[in-house]
Amino acid sequence: MAEGLRGSQAGERTAESLLVSMLVPRLERLGIEVPGERFREPEHSLYRLLREPHGDDTAYSRYNALLGRLESFANALECEIL
């Protein structure tokens, strides 16, 4: 998360910053302000970013794994806040 926030603040389109962009609406509903760039269509951008060096098969697996980790993080955060 920290790496994604740094990348987002610097306007860098990295896997981590795109994951942060995907999480922003959920964080804002919890009252957490997220500074930095809000990337359009972060889901599609993340998949394309993963596909470039790895191809479709590996990109699909990595994408789903990252989304699972993001969901787990968000759920844990919600448990702490709510």
Side-chain angles (χ1 to χ4, degrees), residues 3-30:
E3 184 64 31
L5 287 170
R6 278 191 291 278
S8 179
Q9 289 176 331
E12 299 170 349
R13 189 177 294 264
T14 64
E16 295 84 5
S17 65
L18 292 166
L19 287 166
V20 166
S21 281
M22 292 166 67
L23 193 56
V24 166
R26 199 165 173 181
L27 293 174
E28 288 179 340
R29 283 194 299 274
L30 294 171

Side-chain angles (χ1 to χ4, degrees), residues 58-82:
T58 303
Y60 182 76
S61 297
R62 294 193 73 202
Y63 179 83
N64 283 329
L66 288 170
L67 288 186
R69 292 181 70 189
L70 183 68
E71 182 68 21
S72 178
F73 174 81
N75 289 340
L77 185 60
E78 285 176 342
C79 287
E80 287 296 316
I81 291 176
L82 302 177

